[in-house]
Amino acid sequence: MLKTDYIKDAKLKIGNEVEIAGWVHKFIDMGKLKFIFIRDRSGQIQVIAKKGVVSDGLMAKIIANKEYVVHIKGIVKENIKAPDGVELIPSHYEILNSVDEKLPVDPTDEVLSDLETRLEYRYLDLRRRKINTIFELKSIIINAYRRKLIEMGFVEIHPPVIIMAASEGGTDIFELKYFEHKAYLAQSPQLYKQIAVIGGLDKVFITMPIFRAEKHNTSTHLNEITMLDAEIGFANDHDAMDVLETVFIEMLRAVSSKPELLAVCGAEVKVPQKIKRITYTEIIDMLKKNGEQIEWGHDFSKEQEKKIFAFVGEEAFFIYEYPTSIRAFYSMPNKNNPTICNSFDLMYRGLEISSGAQRIHKIDVLEHALKSRNLNPQDFKFYTDAFRFGAPPHAGFGLGLERITMKICNLNNIREASLFPRDRTRLYP
Ligand code: AMO
């Protein structure tokens, strides 16, 4: 390795020799004294640009070009005037790589660029502390999800991404050529996680990329996301909400244990003990009482979701028992009132971050549900056949990782929560 320590750790080793490697963040010329600030993923350190170690020629290059890649060996010293009271006295200074052109995006945050330019040069944007922290937090979120479900006895499975039938219905699906057949990119692992449960795996979870060919560009939609799914055998919608509640609280707890990372994003996270459950019908009544124009049976607009958040007054809550007509075909109609189904959404900070349901497990009800949505049961034969040989009642949910990350990190646009976002116009880089 070219370094003994990350800069954050090197700063704790007062009096010791360390080796660090990173980028030239900035340069300060105070006449006799010159300082170079070196940055890596963990932070920055002030390095004295000592004559003899840093030649005049080298120094001129560094002054002219931020973002040179350097390797420095030296002793860590206390200096109350330096940031964090620490600086590095170098004994060896080596340039590992240079910068060819003027930087199109400034990793030091001195000059801010618009989102489109930042995404174009993501490798430079990512060097910014806030931006790489978003992805550190995203990694903590997905790992908390995985860890908690494994602890609860779930098995991680890996369904296909190339599929032959739309898992969420006919629209919004990317078509592709699969040798001499027509195939699609998965909109979700829905049908496969259900088949896995019917197959006896009982409690399964998935983390995978999924694709939605939605044409509209919004600040909360992407065309490729990472979906976190779970499916549970011998369970109903309330059992699935119980699991989602446990795992979501665990995800919030995991990020709240890193306040220093949240602070970089200007974010704070409160961890609830319980998550309130409110029916769709109660929400409609609440909206109407507050003068909103909405009829029972309609889905909420993004604006209405924000208003609901204000009326309910909780950061996280479930809305359940949606009208059957606005939910996916596999959602189980309620046995006392089939116009509603045993489905739910999890709302967080005014945005739907997850949806789920108890599934239809009776073949006749399932075929009827497909036909009533103008879907051909023959196209779903690989799936519907599984229900003829002893399918247990089951339920589950899917969470959008980018939406959770966006809300936790206080981001205005979901693209910020995707390393290389795919939207209506962006397929590159
Ligand atoms: P649904 O289609 O509601 O449900 O998706 C579940 C969650 O995935 C996220 N999501 C998106 N995020 C960003 N951009 C998009 N275009 C996008 N589409 C979906 C959201 C959403 O809540 N199979 C069911 C889940 C289940 O019932 O188990 C499903 O896919 O956070």
Side-chain angles (χ1 to χ4, degrees):
M1 288 289 282
L2 276 169
K3 57 184 176 218
T4 53
D5 296 272
Y6 275 116
I7 286 174
K8 179 161 82 55
D9 305 322
K11 283 164 108 172
L12 304 173
K13 295 194 166 171
I14 311 277
N16 290 305
E17 185 178 76
V18 294
E19 281 182 63
I20 58 167
W23 289 268
V24 174
H25 187 73
K26 63 179 178 187
F27 186 88
I28 295 179
D29 189 346
M30 297 171 70
K32 268 193 185 162
L33 276 177
K34 297 183 193 338
F35 303 108
I36 302 164
F37 283 76
I38 305 299
R39 184 193 71 240
D40 69 10
R41 198 186 101 186
S42 70
Q44 291 173 38
I45 191 165
Q46 171 174 305
V47 180
I48 292 191
K50 243 171 66 174
K51 257 206 148 83
V53 178
V54 183
S55 70
D56 286 349
L58 202 56
M59 200 108 81
K61 276 188 193 161
I62 292 165
I63 296 167
N65 294 292
K66 290 199 275 191
E67 299 305 306
Y68 265 45
V69 186
V70 293
H71 166 235
I72 302 174
K73 198 191 266 188
I75 305 282
V76 184
K77 283 263 164 69
E78 256 174 331
N79 175 359
I80 47 164
K81 288 189 192 147
D84 299 326
V86 178
E87 66 184 4
L88 189 72
I89 315 292
S91 55
H92 166 86
Y93 195 110
E94 179 191 359
I95 291 183
L96 300 174
N97 214 342
S98 57
V99 173
D100 278 0
E101 296 174 26
K102 188 175 175 299
L103 296 166
V105 168
D106 179 10
T108 68
D109 284 344
E110 270 170 25
V111 183
L112 295 177
S113 304
D114 60 54
L115 184 57
E116 285 305 308
T117 313
R118 287 174 38 217
L119 292 175
E120 199 76 25
Y121 300 97
R122 197 53 152 165
Y123 41 85
L124 287 176
D125 189 41
L126 270 172
R127 289 190 203 159
R128 297 167 61 210
R129 182 80 182 113
K130 176 175 172 187
I131 308 306
N132 61 53
T133 302
I134 294 170
F135 295 97
E136 214 173 310
L137 284 165
K138 189 174 178 182
S139 161
I140 290 169
I141 296 166
I142 192 171
N143 280 306
Y145 180 80
R146 186 174 271 126
R147 196 178 53 243
K148 191 68 195 174
L149 285 176
I150 287 174
E151 198 182 297
M152 292 164 83
F154 281 71
V155 175
E156 182 164 11
I157 58 165
H158 303 90
V161 169
I162 301 174
I163 59 173
M164 58 167 281
S167 50
E168 301 297 322
T171 56
D172 300 340
I173 189 156
F174 286 110
E175 203 178 294
L176 62 102
K177 201 165 167 287
Y178 190 74
F179 305 110
E180 47 286 339
H181 301 284
K182 203 195 276 181
Y184 305 99
L185 290 177
Q187 294 164 304
S188 78
Q190 181 64 39
L191 311 185
Y192 293 91
K193 64 177 179 173
Q194 287 187 250
I195 294 174
V197 166
I198 294 169
L201 278 172
D202 197 42
K203 291 204 271 186
V204 298
F205 79 93
I206 301 135
T207 66
M208 69 181 263
I210 63 99
F211 306 87
R212 302 271 167 114
E214 289 153 351
K215 286 210 169 106
H216 52 287
N217 248 339
T218 81
S219 59
T220 53
H221 287 85
L222 290 171
N223 295 107
E224 175 177 351
I225 64 160
T226 305
M227 186 82 102
L228 312 182
D229 269 81
E231 199 68 19
I232 314 147
F234 306 96
N236 65 21
D237 48 334
H238 281 276
D239 299 319
M241 276 189 268
D242 288 346
V243 173
L244 178 52
E245 176 176 284
T246 307
V247 82
F248 182 60
I249 289 175
E250 187 57 30
M251 290 153 101
L252 294 181
R253 193 172 288 133
V255 286
S256 74
S257 72
K258 300 279 182 190
E260 70 287 0
L261 296 184
L262 290 171
V264 174
C265 298
E268 264 181 59
V269 164
K270 287 192 227 107
V271 184
Q273 298 280 321
K274 287 287 301 164
I275 299 181
K276 200 168 174 171
R277 298 177 191 184
I278 312 168
T279 65
Y280 166 89
T281 305
E282 285 169 328
I283 296 281
I284 290 285
D285 291 345
M286 191 187 287
L287 283 172
K288 279 185 167 169
K289 230 180 262 163
N290 285 280
E292 197 64 28
Q293 299 285 323
I294 185 162
E295 289 310 315
W296 195 95
H298 288 253
D299 214 344
F300 308 120
S301 67
K302 289 287 160 231
E303 283 316 303
Q304 284 163 341
E305 283 184 355
K306 284 186 199 146
K307 285 187 183 155
I308 298 167
F309 169 46
F311 298 149
V312 175
E314 308 252 346
E315 282 200 324
F317 56 91
F318 286 105
I319 304 177
Y320 70 106
E321 291 183 351
Y322 277 85
T324 308
S325 59
I326 58 169
R327 299 298 285 209
F329 69 84
Y330 45 76
S331 313
M332 175 68 102
N334 190 285
K335 68 173 185 293
N336 299 319
N337 174 8
T339 62
I340 55 171
C341 61
N342 299 346
S343 59
F344 56 86
D345 281 349
L346 175 59
M347 310 296 294
Y348 183 56
R349 296 183 168 171
L351 182 67
E352 176 213 307
I353 55 159
S354 173
S355 67
Q358 181 183 345
R359 322 301 184 183
I360 297 171
H361 62 282
K362 301 276 190 191
I363 182 65
D364 48 337
V365 187
L366 188 57
E367 286 186 337
H368 176 264
L370 281 165
K371 284 182 199 150
S372 70
R373 284 163 176 84
N374 290 325
L375 295 167
N376 183 356
Q378 244 350 78
D379 293 342
F380 291 81
K381 197 170 171 325
F382 76 97
Y383 166 71
T384 53
D385 273 353
F387 292 77
R388 299 180 200 281
F389 303 98
H394 56 286
F397 56 83
L399 281 150
L401 179 60
E402 285 74 19
R403 282 204 183 168
I404 306 172
T405 308
M406 170 189 178
K407 283 292 157 186
I408 284 179
C409 297
N410 250 343
L411 308 170
N412 292 327
N413 194 316
I414 195 166
R415 286 160 187 74
E416 299 264 13
S418 173
L419 197 55
F420 297 105
R422 293 288 171 255
D423 62 27
R424 183 72 180 84
T425 50
R426 185 168 285 284
L427 194 54
Y428 169 90

